[in-house]
Amino acid sequence: MAETLLKEGAKAPLLTLPTDGGGQVSLKALAGKTVVLYFYPKDDTSGCTKEAIGFTEKAASFAKAGAVVIGVSKDSPVKHDKFKDKHKLNLILASDEDGKVIERYGVWVEKSLYGRKYMGIDRATFLIDKTGVIRKVWRKVKVPGHVEAVLEAVKAL
């Protein structure tokens, strides 16, 4: 079960994860940059695709505001590559196949579908400032309007 929920003002737990394209991403290496870290359930599902396309459409605006956008799911880097190619995505997709980072951020939660309970990733976004402090948290994200809300929060930092 998820650890204590991370709150605004807390230090963001460090992470180093493999990414699409055979790369690697680490918060330590991104020190001094604003990071939008968003967790999503699964590549190529409708809500996750809409969210990733939304972040891609605003990629230039996030970059102009000095923010790096990173999506995290349990999908493998190979699946991330296929997802990015299929939808022409322009963001970093990190793979947390063992779920350790997902648990550290408190987004591995019990869900319910048609009365059946199961564990899954809660769609959530964390805005991390240049010093590694969480400035804003969105949980149980609804995709419409979310990317715009995150961009406004980045610009307000």
Side-chain angles (χ1 to χ4, degrees):
M1 199 58 205
E3 295 172 21
T4 312
L5 290 183
L6 291 171
K7 293 190 173 31
E8 293 167 12
K11 201 80 168 143
L14 288 179
L15 61 87
T16 301
L17 292 170
T19 65
D20 59 275
Q24 190 177 63
V25 68
S26 111
L27 281 186
K28 201 172 195 176
L30 292 170
K33 291 190 188 299
T34 299
V35 176
V36 173
L37 186 64
Y38 82 95
F39 293 87
Y40 66 98
K42 197 164 179 46
D43 286 349
D44 232 357
T45 54
S46 66
C48 299
T49 300
K50 284 182 187 128
E51 187 175 27
I53 289 170
F55 277 116
T56 292
E57 287 172 347
K58 299 281 188 211
S61 298
F62 279 102
K64 189 175 172 200
V68 177
V69 178
I70 304 166
V72 180
S73 77
K74 286 184 137 203
D75 292 307
S76 70
V78 171
K79 278 186 87 173
H80 284 338
D81 284 333
K82 289 179 183 160
F83 183 43
K84 279 184 79 164
D85 287 347
K86 181 177 178 180
H87 299 286
K88 313 241 180 310
L89 302 176
N90 181 21
L91 57 135
I92 299 165
L93 294 180
S95 175
D96 185 22
E97 290 181 274
D98 65 10
K100 287 190 170 111
V101 171
I102 289 164
E103 287 212 20
R104 243 181 275 145
Y105 276 81
V107 295
W108 187 246
V109 299
E110 186 175 80
K111 295 175 146 194
S112 181
L113 183 65
Y114 304 118
R116 184 180 71 87
K117 297 211 179 299
Y118 64 98
M119 295 302 288
I121 297 173
D122 180 27
R123 190 182 306 279
T125 302
F126 296 81
L127 177 55
I128 303 166
D129 74 10
K130 295 174 182 183
T131 65
V133 173
I134 297 169
R135 290 292 166 209
K136 186 115 177 82
V137 179
W138 293 264
R139 295 194 180 273
K140 303 214 178 303
V141 167
K142 300 289 180 241
V143 175
H146 178 61
V147 170
E148 293 77 10
V150 174
L151 183 56
E152 287 309 308
V154 167
K155 288 177 178 176
L157 280 183

